[in-house]
Amino acid sequence: MRLVFIGPPGAGKGTHAKILSAKYHIPHISTGDILRAKINDGSEIGKKAKSYVESGGLVPDSVVIQMVKERLQERDTQAGFLLDGFPRTLGQAEAFDQALCQVGIHLDAVIDFNASLKTILRRLTGRRMCPKCNANYHIANMPPKKSNICDECGSALVQRKDDHEETILKRLEVYKKDTEPLINYYRKQGQLKEVNADLEVKELDVHLLEILKSVPAR
Ligand code: AP5
């Protein structure tokens, strides 16, 4: 299964990508997670990306496209993959189509997570992350067992630098301008499936599984 999740920040792409990648045994590839790891490592790509990621802008296409191409050459992607947060611009989508075409593979579905502004703001301002193992929590919807401590590794949870209201609003503007046009791009290709991302985790998971069951096996 080869899938792409698109949708505004905080719509639940990462949360549901983790659940589905475990169910389908395919890697969850989040460009946001890869960029944050590179920033923490202090690598050259991380140095280039830091100011864009922390201010809610987009990292230049050339950097992200190269990063995704390299990741998709790893062996674990042979049986499929779930891309979360890529492509995010028309330039990225076109380069991705070309790269897939060159190796003769197709996407099975592009899932658009459609969430209201109220949901987005509530989810992002309440999100907490584990800086060590990347586990994702929400102070009200998915709280850790012990307040502010990661269930998986015991580290203190943090709020992402781009999860403050001003930066969230900037990310939403960037989403509308640069990423929303991809909805029509993939609709025209007949690959788009839409979900109501305002649903709670269990209900949305059921809906996603129904959609994936209807995707023809290649
Ligand atoms: P990235 O990390 O991809 O951020 P994003 O797309 O803005 O998405 P988020 O991670 O904020 O939200 P999500 O939809 O995954 O929500 P989540 O599941 O965590 O990118 C960050 C930055 O990196 C970008 O701004 C950019 O600078 C750069 N970047 C990344 N990719 C790039 C690219 N391709 N090109 C250029 N630059 C790029 O859920 C949010 C919260 O809600 C969580 O607390 C969760 O617990 C809760 N929740 C989730 N689902 C539900 C549900 N169904 N019900 C109740 N609560 C829920």
Side-chain angles (χ1 to χ4, degrees), residues 27-48:
H28 164 209
I29 302 175
S30 154
T31 42
D33 285 350
I34 300 174
L35 288 165
R36 281 184 290 277
K38 291 194 183 292
I39 293 171
N40 289 340
D41 287 354
S43 68
E44 276 314 305
I45 293 186
K47 284 179 196 151
K48 280 189 204 157

Side-chain angles (χ1 to χ4, degrees), residues 7-16 30-33 35-36 52-53 56-59 64 84-88 92 123-124 126-128 136-138 141-142 160 162-163 171 197 199-201 204:
K13 305 179 298 295
T15 302
H16 290 275
S30 154
T31 42
D33 285 350
L35 288 165
R36 281 184 290 277
Y52 297 101
V53 173
L58 290 183
V59 176
V64 181
D84 157 17
F86 179 92
R88 226 168 168 113
Q92 291 178 18
R123 286 190 187 160
L124 289 182
R127 172 164 62 187
R128 297 293 180 271
N136 182 346
Y137 300 88
H138 188 279
N141 301 344
M142 293 195 263
R160 262 171 54 173
D162 57 351
D163 273 352
R171 286 159 68 199
L199 295 174
E200 288 306 312
V201 175
L204 183 48

Side-chain angles (χ1 to χ4, degrees), residues 20-200:
L20 289 181
S21 77
K23 269 190 187 135
Y24 284 90
H25 307 289
I26 51 175
H28 164 209
I29 302 175
S30 154
T31 42
D33 285 350
I34 300 174
L35 288 165
R36 281 184 290 277
K38 291 194 183 292
I39 293 171
N40 289 340
D41 287 354
S43 68
E44 276 314 305
I45 293 186
K47 284 179 196 151
K48 280 189 204 157
K50 191 174 188 316
S51 62
Y52 297 101
V53 173
E54 290 179 357
S55 66
L58 290 183
V59 176
D61 281 358
S62 56
V63 174
V64 181
I65 291 166
Q66 184 57 28
M67 204 177 79
V68 171
K69 279 187 178 167
E70 283 170 16
R71 179 63 185 88
L72 290 179
Q73 276 164 15
E74 289 178 32
R75 279 181 70 85
D76 65 341
T77 62
Q78 280 174 2
F81 51 78
L82 197 169
L83 273 168
D84 157 17
F86 179 92
R88 226 168 168 113
T89 63
L90 280 172
Q92 291 178 18
E94 285 162 2
F96 186 42
D97 275 353
Q98 270 179 19
L100 291 177
C101 187
Q102 275 166 9
V103 289
I105 58 175
H106 303 271
L107 288 176
D108 293 298
V110 174
I111 301 189
D112 170 30
F113 281 62
N114 211 323
S116 65
L117 180 61
K118 192 173 156 212
T119 298
I120 290 169
L121 291 177
R122 200 183 54 230
R123 286 190 187 160
L124 289 182
T125 50
R127 172 164 62 187
R128 297 293 180 271
M129 301 287 300
C130 175
K132 198 166 167 205
C133 73
N134 235 5
N136 182 346
Y137 300 88
H138 188 279
I139 50 175
N141 301 344
M142 293 195 263
K145 291 183 188 120
K146 207 168 151 195
S147 174
N148 220 38
I149 298 294
C150 178
D151 294 347
E152 309 293 326
C153 72
S155 304
L157 302 180
V158 295
Q159 188 167 21
R160 262 171 54 173
K161 285 201 171 123
D162 57 351
D163 273 352
H164 298 282
E165 195 155 334
E166 198 182 311
T167 318
I168 294 172
L169 295 176
K170 159 99 187 282
R171 286 159 68 199
L172 280 167
E173 253 177 55
V174 170
Y175 173 78
K176 281 220 162 292
K177 180 171 151 284
D178 293 311
T179 310
E180 223 171 47
L182 294 186
I183 295 174
N184 256 334
Y185 178 87
Y186 284 116
R187 187 179 282 128
K188 282 188 193 149
Q189 293 189 3
Q191 286 170 313
L192 193 79
K193 312 270 178 197
E194 290 169 89
V195 289
N196 172 6
D198 285 337
L199 295 174
E200 288 306 312

